[in-house]
Amino acid sequence: QGRAITYKELREAILNGNISPAWLQRWQQDYVRFVSQHLRPLWLVAMQNAAKRLQAGYPGWRFDAMADGVQRWTANRGAAFVTNSTNAQLQGLQAVIHHAANSGMNVDVLARAIRPMVGLTYQQSIANANYMQTLIANGMSQKKAVDKAIRYAARQHRYRGYNIARTELAFAYNQGTLEWARQAQEAGYLGKAVKVWRSARDERTCETCMRLHGMEIPLNEPFPFSTRLSGLDVRLAPPAHPSCRCALDIEEVEPPQLREDARYDIIEEIPKPLTNAAGVPIVIVERDDIRHGPPNGITQTFEAKGGITRNYHGSDGRRVKQISNNDHGYPRKHPFGQKGEHCHDYAWDEDGNPHHGKARELTDQERSENSDIL
């Protein structure tokens, strides 16, 4: 953007003491393209990475990166980013132009010094202008002081770039965690849950984040903190400030409740039915319904990383057992077999709530029946 502004335009701005409205329009268009081409794809990757961390314990569940909640968040975050970035840039350049107009320096020299500052924040722009003035006041030539200010501006731009990257990816990662929980609840995989604020708790942790650490609140309630970050629902999850390192955790406090409208979603039935090694038919599904599977049947889902999970259902359609042919990327939690293959048993209480058993070794019979995927 600095290179797109001509020295003639800068000289006019310095002499008039105002920024051209055409600059603002160009800046907004630039930021809109930046969000579309660069930020949005990275936001989605960060959200998916957050979901992968959580869904290891729910192998039949798939996070939908194209869901309405994700689309609403990226649209709202994109609009806030464009507005915030344009305003920050406007305030920064307006401040340095006003500063320059009263400096008494040659307008051509000022235009050369100010051009690299386009894109800096108000604080960065003032710091750079003061740095240049201090150098001149201490006897340095204007040319050399301007050269140093230009190099200083380059370092400031790199810092701002890193700051934006860290903050925006933190927004997306933590929003991905929150959206995963909402989707999992809607699908009946996750029961009543709370979100938990986690901070690094080291010498770099600010007072706000230290105070929030460990706080548990309902998913859709905002955390109690003030922030200079702006945007829709900005307090629903970290970050609390630029370059914040805090993260969101989800903890289930009650198991899922029975949903009468839930149904298992068949996405493929092969003309010649798929069977396991024992000849028992297998139904391929996109998402296995823990409560309403095929009575006395077996469903199969494919995991994001290529693994296979088979869910066994009782006569009432409720899941009674789950067998996976891998360790879901957590070998310490599943130290079984050659590839971490394991089984979870399910028990149902008198209120109709499922209880997920700990991972165990497959029996010889289970290994024989599922040898086609082991």
Side-chain angles (χ1 to χ4, degrees), residues 56-212:
Y58 303 82
W61 162 243
R62 295 284 192 280
F63 174 76
D64 185 2
M66 301 307 293
D68 289 344
V70 175
Q71 299 304 311
R72 280 195 301 271
W73 183 84
T74 55
N76 290 331
R77 185 66 209 152
F81 181 86
V82 171
T83 300
N84 296 341
S85 298
T86 303
N87 289 342
Q89 189 162 310
L90 170 64
Q91 293 167 4
L93 198 54
Q94 192 78 58
V96 80
I97 284 177
H98 288 167
H99 189 280
N102 299 318
S103 67
M105 293 176 63
N106 180 279
V107 67
D108 292 319
V109 174
L110 286 171
R112 180 170 174 264
I114 291 174
R115 196 183 191 201
M117 297 185 200
V118 175
L120 299 181
T121 64
Y122 173 87
Q123 292 85 352
Q124 288 177 318
S125 299
I126 292 298
N128 195 300
N130 290 337
Y131 172 67
M132 183 175 63
Q133 291 287 6
T134 300
L135 293 177
I136 294 173
N138 289 336
M140 185 176 289
S141 68
Q142 285 188 356
K143 182 180 183 306
K144 193 169 182 179
V146 169
D147 289 339
K148 283 185 172 292
I150 290 173
R151 289 194 292 271
Y152 181 30
R155 294 195 299 273
Q156 290 174 305
H157 273 292
R158 286 194 295 272
Y159 174 81
R160 188 182 181 212
Y162 284 126
N163 195 25
I164 288 173
R166 285 191 294 263
T167 305
E168 291 303 320
L169 291 181
F171 265 125
Y173 188 88
N174 288 300
Q175 185 64 32
T177 298
L178 185 58
E179 181 62 23
W180 175 90
R182 289 167 172 167
Q183 289 186 21
Q185 281 186 331
E186 177 65 24
Y189 279 78
L190 183 70
K192 183 179 179 181
V194 294
K195 57 186 178 184
V196 187
W197 190 288
R198 303 293 187 194
S199 67
R201 289 192 298 171
D202 58 19
E203 68 280 358
R204 294 169 52 200
T205 305
C206 71
E207 291 183 7
T208 296
C209 295
M210 193 70 80
R211 175 177 57 82
L212 290 169

Side-chain angles (χ1 to χ4, degrees), residues 218-273:
L219 297 184
N220 294 319
E221 285 190 13
F223 283 98
F225 68 95
S226 59
T227 179
R228 58 190 177 95
L229 296 173
S230 60
L232 188 65
D233 296 333
V234 73
R235 293 187 294 120
L236 286 178
H241 53 79
S243 289
C244 179
R245 296 173 296 145
C246 293
L248 199 66
D249 254 346
I250 302 296
E251 291 188 2
E252 189 175 41
V253 294
E254 291 181 10
Q257 299 299 309
L258 183 64
R259 283 180 52 191
E260 295 298 334
D261 62 339
R263 295 292 183 270
Y264 63 96
D265 183 16
I266 300 176
I267 60 170
E268 179 181 3
E269 287 202 58
I270 302 173
K272 182 180 179 181

